[in-house]
Amino acid sequence: VHQFIHNWFGKKDVSKGERLKTELENPDKTRLRDLIQNPLRLTLLCSSWQSNEANLPDTKAELYAQFVRQFYKWKSNHFPVNTRQQQELNQALGRLAIKDIDGSSSRFRLRESFISEELGYPDEENSLFYLALKLGWLNCVGIAAESSSREKVYAFFHPTFQEYFAACAVDDWDFFLPRDHVDKPVEGKEYRIFEPKWKEVILLWLGRENIVKEKKEAFINALVNFKDGCSFFYDYQTYFLAVSGVAEFQKYLLTERVINIATYIYCIDTQENQWLENQAKLALIETNRAEAIKKIVDLIENCPQ
């Protein structure tokens, strides 16, 4: 990462690159350092820092919000759009992303007719489809093999941007987990918390700055206290999702307790249960790393011989 930053800023902006390295080494930026192991994210971060040195984001959602703003700046010289157009397009891309994740059998590959239902037609200069193509949010990636009409297929600039736009289009956590759930499924409601394809969207939603703290707390509490009324399988799934989620919602008051219980499950309760061990391990890797390491060390030091 440091070599990439050095190469990016070169000799002209050495001091700026050094300041970015210093900021990334801050102990509070562990989450961000993990995220920018991805070359695209690191490229966008360097570009953002070069044009505007500011506080580094703490969550993945904040990082991608910064990327979206930077993306529009990149394109402004060739295809400028005003703030209203940006907001309108972002909202439309969010609706499109949700629709695709919810119902598509071939995720991240969107047919032209499917997009047109939400964004209009690609050859109409006033359509959002045309705007998304000009900006590069959507790109043609080929022809639908199963289509006799040789219909074009498109994809988002990057899959995580699709998930980010989807997260921004979700107003309330009831979309992921019915808020009136007690101990059995609510008839007619979707339980997206159990679908792996929605996990990244959920984590990004928890990291959004414009979602009030009380809503996030209510969602995490619902995940932690979830009961399905018949087995512990789904209870564990929702709990581990909450453990991963507190890395994005860093102001959750019971973070320490949630991670403490997950650590205990991983170290004590997973004997002869490979699925439970793997799920607990993954959640601890994805959660607040400093807190997880602290709990594991405490457990090891206080474990009876």
Side-chain angles (χ1 to χ4, degrees):
V1 168
H2 279 205
Q3 185 62 50
F4 186 99
I5 293 172
H6 174 78
N7 292 344
W8 178 277
F9 290 96
K11 296 181 179 180
K12 292 183 179 179
D13 286 320
V14 172
S15 60
K16 188 173 285 191
E18 291 302 315
R19 285 194 293 272
L20 177 56
K21 293 177 188 178
T22 301
E23 288 296 317
L24 286 172
E25 290 307 309
N26 188 311
D28 295 334
K29 299 303 178 184
T30 302
R31 173 75 170 157
L32 182 60
R33 289 198 298 272
D34 289 342
L35 292 172
I36 60 169
Q37 300 295 324
N38 175 295
L40 174 61
R41 293 176 194 150
L42 184 52
T43 298
L44 290 167
L45 179 66
C46 288
S47 178
S48 299
W49 186 264
Q50 191 166 34
S51 63
N52 181 30
E53 287 187 51
N55 293 330
L56 291 176
D58 293 316
T59 69
K60 191 172 184 177
E62 292 173 16
L63 183 65
Y64 272 83
Q66 189 179 99
F67 288 168
V68 169
R69 292 191 294 270
Q70 183 62 25
F71 192 88
Y72 282 115
K73 287 182 180 179
W74 270 2
K75 300 291 182 175
S76 60
N77 291 333
H78 304 287
F79 200 82
V81 291
N82 59 43
T83 301
R84 182 191 61 78
Q85 289 175 309
Q86 291 179 23
Q87 292 175 344
E88 185 178 358
L89 180 58
N90 291 348
Q91 291 168 0
L93 289 173
R95 294 191 299 269
L96 178 68
I98 286 177
K99 187 177 178 182
D100 179 53
I101 297 172
D102 233 356
S104 177
S105 58
S106 55
R107 278 188 67 197
F108 307 124
R109 290 176 56 83
L110 296 78
R111 287 192 178 199
E112 186 170 284
S113 57
F114 178 82
I115 301 172
S116 296
E117 292 176 4
E118 193 66 51
L119 304 185
Y121 295 97
D123 53 354
E124 295 179 352
E125 292 193 12
N126 292 325
S127 75
L128 292 174
F129 196 167
Y130 178 86
L131 185 60
L133 289 175
K134 284 294 182 181
L135 289 167
W137 283 128
L138 294 174
N139 298 280
C140 183
V141 294
I143 303 295
E146 65 278 15
S147 173
S148 58
S149 62
R150 297 185 60 78
E151 184 177 11
K152 290 182 179 179
V153 174
Y154 298 83
F156 275 79
F157 173 62
H158 188 273
T160 309
F161 278 100
Q162 178 173 353
E163 293 164 331
Y164 171 74
F165 282 122
C168 289
V170 176
D171 294 323
D172 193 86
W173 60 269
D174 180 77
F175 179 80
F176 304 119
L177 166 63
R179 63 172 59 252
D180 50 351
H181 174 90
V182 180
D183 58 1
K184 61 181 179 180
V186 179
E187 188 175 352
K189 289 291 191 73
E190 295 282 346
Y191 283 73
R192 294 179 175 87
I193 52 171
F194 298 121
E195 299 181 54
K197 63 184 180 180
W198 284 105
K199 180 179 178 179
E200 193 64 34
V201 178
I202 290 170
L203 297 180
L204 287 164
W205 186 88
L206 283 167
R208 284 174 54 189
E209 290 183 293
N210 59 346
I211 299 293
V212 296
K213 177 183 176 183
E214 290 74 18
K215 280 189 176 183
K216 297 179 185 181
E217 285 180 343
F219 184 33
I220 294 289
N221 289 337
L223 292 173
V224 168
N225 298 308
F226 183 89
K227 296 291 182 290
D228 66 4
C230 62
S231 72
F232 293 107
F233 177 75
Y234 292 110
D235 301 359
Y236 276 125
Q237 276 192 286
T238 59
Y239 193 88
F240 292 145
L241 181 57
V243 175
S244 298
V246 296
E248 289 294 313
F249 177 35
Q250 298 178 359
K251 294 182 180 179
Y252 183 60
L253 297 176
L254 300 178
T255 292
E256 184 177 350
R257 179 184 174 188
V258 167
I259 295 177
N260 190 28
I261 294 174
T263 305
Y264 186 88
I265 292 171
Y266 175 64
C267 295
I268 307 298
D269 289 350
T270 57
Q271 295 180 9
E272 299 181 6
N273 189 328
Q274 192 64 49
W275 176 85
L276 187 58
E277 180 180 350
N278 290 339
Q279 294 301 306
K281 180 179 180 180
L282 178 60
L284 288 172
I285 289 173
E286 292 179 337
T287 195
N288 183 311
R289 179 171 297 180
E291 194 64 41
I293 291 173
K294 175 185 173 184
K295 292 303 175 185
I296 292 173
V297 171
D298 287 346
L299 192 61
I300 292 172
E301 290 178 344
N302 295 293
C303 183
Q305 298 296 323

